[in-house]
Amino acid sequence: MSPFDEPPSRAPRGRGWLVPAFLVGCVLFACLLAWGLIARLDASSPSREAVPINDLNQLTSGSTVSLEGVVTFVNLDARKFFLQDGTAALALPLPAHSTVRVGDRVRVRGDITRSGRIVRASNDILLDNMSLKVLGRASLPKAEDVALRDLTDLFEHHLVQTTGIVRFVDTTGAQPMLELSANRPVIVKMLNPEKLPHEKLLDARIRVRGVLTYEAEPTSSSYTPHLWMTDASSIEVIEDARTAIPQAASVRALVTDPKWMASGRRVRVRARVVAQEGERALLVESGGLSIILETRQASEFAKGEIVEATGWPVRGVGVIRLTRVTLEPSLEPLDEGAADESLPLLTSIADIRKLRNLEAEQAFPVDIVATITFKQDYADGFFVQDGDTGMYVDYGGRSISHLHVRQRVRIVGITRSGGYAPIIAQAQATVLGEADWPKPLPLDTELAPTGLYDCTWMELTGRIRRVRPEFNNDLVFDVATELGLIAVRVARISDREALTRLVDARVRVRGVLVSVFTRKQELRGYQLLLHSIDQLEVIQMPAASAGEIRPRPIGQIMQFSGEESRSPR
């Protein structure tokens, strides 16, 4: 370079990084702005916040949740509305001054709380500090088609559809009421009585759509299914009532001919009064079989009188009875229908147990002598044993308070399917005297799944795992036995305090072994029925109380501990 040449110009030191830095800053600012906008939109989007109703039981009390669904029913008198989404349904209190309507799509926010009731877990979820916003109109969810017998609390608060025979209509109250004929009555209520064709409904077969709730009975701890609807548009008559009421030849014909139950319609039968079984229950018989009439006229007729009964047949486990019965005296002589002579008389439980369920439905005549091995006064029947075999006797909802365990009884009735194995139904029991407990059979665990020991007096050994929380009239505890973990049910609930001290004890228990089964009549487990813990013998007392057991990390539970421990917990 010549000394006369000028040096090349240079940018001032430190200015070269300004442009890239500015660009990077702009990009970061845009990202932050976009992130904030997305977060704000996400927070304001109800679909992203909404919790499925079915998941509420998994959340803790006090959690704030947002629900979104369609309003299926609004009861202004009860200040309640029903919300259903794609997973489940829920009953919620109606906010003051709310104008929410059936068919509104709404968003509900609130804090989860629980009522504390353990009888009906599906009613347990409530919302505090609740707010409600109508998002627009929507189609109602499709009503779930459910048979009357399947209307359980699994469908509570859902919009459902069912079919049944109407056996009672009452339009005198503010809310018209229908009663559908079933073993457990189903009540249909509507808010708007207009256009209800009540004169055409009695004994008609209808299809009805409504929201299912369970209402507590005022005089008991039981709950009755109710279907709620806004008006008569949710009722469809699919089979009109008959112009004439058919007559069964006798009680035996009524309970053994399947056509009467298949119809479900009102039927007439003539019979002789045997006894008044309660304020609204009358026991009558003809053709050598008895039946319970549920009627308000039970006290109007004396033993031995001939009556003509008109009512709706319903069936429980094995027994058929007539409900909503009206009675008229009859002066005609009773035509005593005889038993089907083509079916042999069965005189032992062993003979009955040779039948399969389908065969037992033919109603074989039964006349046996056996010993009562288990009963609970509130139950519909009891267990008996004859020799080495046992069986359930369905007493049709009649009182069994005059019977007790270890009584020798004569039982006259018919065979029926009991779900898993045959039972005795339409029974009358005559006390013959007292007896000892049966001798327990030796247990073969490989034969147990065949049903060989079902309803039979057995002896099991095992360790008491836990005493379950008190529920209604039941005392139940779990025992780990050679048949696996089984539930033991005790009739004498006063034994709870003494039993609680025996958790972890190794015991020998004697009682009635019963099968737990599915609707397909498939065995899935066992229960043991005890009259009292007098049938329990302690082999080994608990080694340590729960407070004396040293806590261990979860990861070490199945590892060798190197410590001497004699507690199974």
Side-chain angles (χ1 to χ4, degrees):
M1 178 182 293
S2 168
F4 299 101
D5 290 341
E6 295 183 1
S9 60
R10 294 183 181 178
R13 185 180 295 275
R15 291 184 181 181
W17 58 271
L18 290 178
V19 174
F22 176 77
L23 292 175
V24 171
C26 290
V27 172
L28 290 175
F29 179 78
C31 291
L32 290 172
L33 184 64
W35 180 83
L37 180 60
I38 291 172
R40 187 176 304 173
L41 290 174
D42 185 73
S44 62
S45 171
S47 63
R48 289 182 178 271
E49 280 191 16
V51 174
I53 294 175
N54 194 50
D55 291 347
L56 290 180
N57 278 317
Q58 302 176 24
L59 303 179
T60 58
S61 295
S63 301
T64 300
V65 295
S66 176
L67 309 175
E68 186 179 326
V70 179
V71 176
T72 55
F73 184 71
V74 179
N75 191 335
L76 294 176
D77 293 334
R79 303 300 303 170
K80 184 185 296 185
F81 75 99
F82 293 80
L83 184 69
Q84 184 166 332
D85 65 11
T87 66
L90 190 65
L92 294 169
L94 192 64
H97 311 298
S98 174
T99 58
V100 68
R101 300 172 297 164
V102 172
D104 280 345
R105 185 164 192 83
V106 299
R107 184 194 312 154
V108 177
R109 290 179 182 271
D111 302 329
I112 292 180
T113 184
R114 287 174 167 78
S115 66
R117 292 177 292 181
I118 62 172
V119 176
R120 300 206 57 78
S122 55
N123 276 339
D124 193 44
I125 297 293
L126 301 174
L127 293 182
D128 281 343
N129 305 318
M130 196 181 80
S131 65
L132 184 151
K133 181 179 180 180
V134 178
L135 304 177
R137 299 289 290 171
S139 300
L140 289 178
K142 183 180 178 181
E144 299 175 72
D145 206 351
V146 186
L148 278 180
R149 65 180 181 275
D150 295 332
L151 285 178
T152 67
D153 54 4
L154 293 176
F155 299 99
E156 190 171 15
H157 304 147
H158 286 237
L159 186 64
V160 300
Q161 178 176 277
T162 193
T163 301
I165 304 294
V166 179
R167 70 184 184 196
F168 182 68
V169 181
D170 184 5
T171 59
T172 59
Q175 297 170 342
M177 184 268 281
L178 313 177
E179 184 177 290
L180 300 184
S181 188
N183 184 43
R184 178 173 55 171
V186 176
I187 306 300
V188 179
K189 284 194 172 183
M190 64 185 66
L191 302 182
N192 185 356
E194 295 181 7
K195 300 180 180 179
L196 177 66
H198 55 85
E199 68 281 353
K200 299 180 180 180
L201 291 179
L202 190 64
D203 204 33
R205 188 183 303 275
I206 67 171
R207 182 180 294 115
V208 59
R209 184 179 69 253
V211 171
L212 177 66
T213 67
Y214 275 76
E215 310 290 334
E217 295 296 328
T219 58
S220 70
S221 60
S222 61
Y223 289 75
T224 299
H226 283 58
L227 282 178
W228 288 89
M229 61 190 64
T230 304
D231 53 44
S233 65
S234 296
I235 296 177
E236 176 190 358
V237 177
I238 57 178
E239 192 177 331
D240 291 330
R242 292 172 173 169
T243 55
I245 303 172
Q247 182 162 8
S250 66
V251 168
R252 178 177 290 276
L254 175 62
V255 300
T256 58
D257 190 336
K259 72 178 182 180
W260 302 110
M261 278 305 306
S263 163
R265 297 296 192 89
R266 188 163 42 174
V267 63
R268 293 184 297 149
V269 66
R270 295 176 63 250
R272 180 183 294 105
V273 176
V274 175
Q276 182 177 348
E277 290 278 322
E279 184 180 351
R280 296 186 179 183
L282 199 65
L283 181 67
V284 301
E285 63 88 20
S286 62
L289 281 182
S290 61
I291 194 172
I292 281 288
L293 310 178
E294 296 177 356
T295 174
R296 294 176 180 269
Q297 300 173 262
S299 61
E300 298 177 15
F301 297 90
K303 181 179 179 180
E305 287 190 75
I306 308 299
V307 296
E308 184 171 82
T310 304
W312 285 265
V314 297
R315 177 171 171 174
V317 176
V319 167
I320 291 175
R321 66 186 190 278
L322 284 185
T323 63
R324 292 286 182 181
V325 172
T326 56
L327 295 171
E328 295 288 343
S330 177
L331 300 178
E332 298 181 23
L334 197 62
D335 182 15
E336 299 284 1
D340 185 351
E341 296 182 356
S342 65
L343 298 175
L345 177 68
L346 303 182
T347 57
S348 71
I349 294 178
D351 289 339
I352 301 173
R353 290 184 64 89
K354 293 176 183 177
L355 303 174
R356 298 186 68 86
N357 274 313
L358 190 60
E359 296 173 309
E361 278 296 295
Q362 298 179 52
F364 285 79
V366 170
D367 189 343
I368 68 167
V369 174
T371 301
I372 298 176
T373 52
F374 183 81
K375 61 157 286 218
Q376 290 173 296
D377 287 340
Y378 67 85
D380 287 336
F382 50 91
F383 292 84
V384 296
Q385 183 151 330
D386 165 26
D388 290 338
T389 53
M391 185 155 288
Y392 179 72
V393 179
D394 190 338
Y395 219 54
R398 299 164 55 191
S399 172
I400 56 175
S401 59
H402 63 293
L403 302 174
H404 59 255
V405 294
R406 293 177 56 192
Q407 274 182 333
R408 197 78 172 154
V409 291
R410 179 190 178 194
I411 300 170
V412 177
I414 58 174
T415 63
R416 286 295 197 200
S417 165
Y420 180 68
I423 64 171
I424 301 172
Q426 307 297 143
Q428 292 195 61
T430 304
V431 177
L432 303 178
E434 301 294 319
D436 294 329
W437 292 114
K439 183 178 179 181
L441 293 179
L443 176 65
D444 186 330
T445 56
E446 294 181 347
L447 290 178
T450 67
L452 174 67
Y453 305 123
D454 181 61
C455 300
T456 299
W457 188 262
M458 298 295 294
E459 178 180 281
L460 300 177
T461 58
R463 193 177 298 277
I464 297 178
R465 286 285 179 86
R466 65 162 179 161
V467 179
R468 299 195 188 185
E470 189 167 349
F471 182 79
N472 290 345
N473 296 312
D474 291 336
L475 171 56
V476 182
F477 63 98
D478 294 335
V479 179
T481 73
E482 52 266 65
L483 289 177
L485 188 67
I486 67 169
V488 181
R489 191 176 301 272
V490 185
R492 197 171 69 187
I493 60 175
S494 59
D495 289 340
R496 174 173 294 275
E497 184 178 350
L499 183 63
T500 304
R501 297 192 294 267
L502 297 178
V503 172
D504 268 352
R506 186 164 179 78
V507 296
R508 181 180 293 112
V509 285
R510 298 180 182 90
V512 178
L513 186 70
V514 297
S515 303
V516 181
F517 52 91
T518 68
R519 286 195 173 186
K520 294 182 179 180
Q521 302 177 353
E522 297 169 339
L523 180 71
R524 68 176 182 88
Y526 309 94
Q527 284 190 359
L528 194 69
L529 308 179
L530 273 62
H531 171 64
S532 71
I533 63 169
D534 294 340
Q535 277 81 58
L536 183 152
E537 176 188 352
V538 178
I539 301 174
Q540 181 185 41
M541 288 296 291
S545 67
E548 298 171 350
I549 301 173
R550 186 180 66 83
R552 298 175 63 185
I554 293 175
Q556 297 179 11
I557 288 178
M558 302 304 294
Q559 296 177 354
F560 175 71
S561 66
E563 297 179 359
E564 182 179 2
S565 175
R566 299 186 180 276
S567 173
R569 281 196 279 182

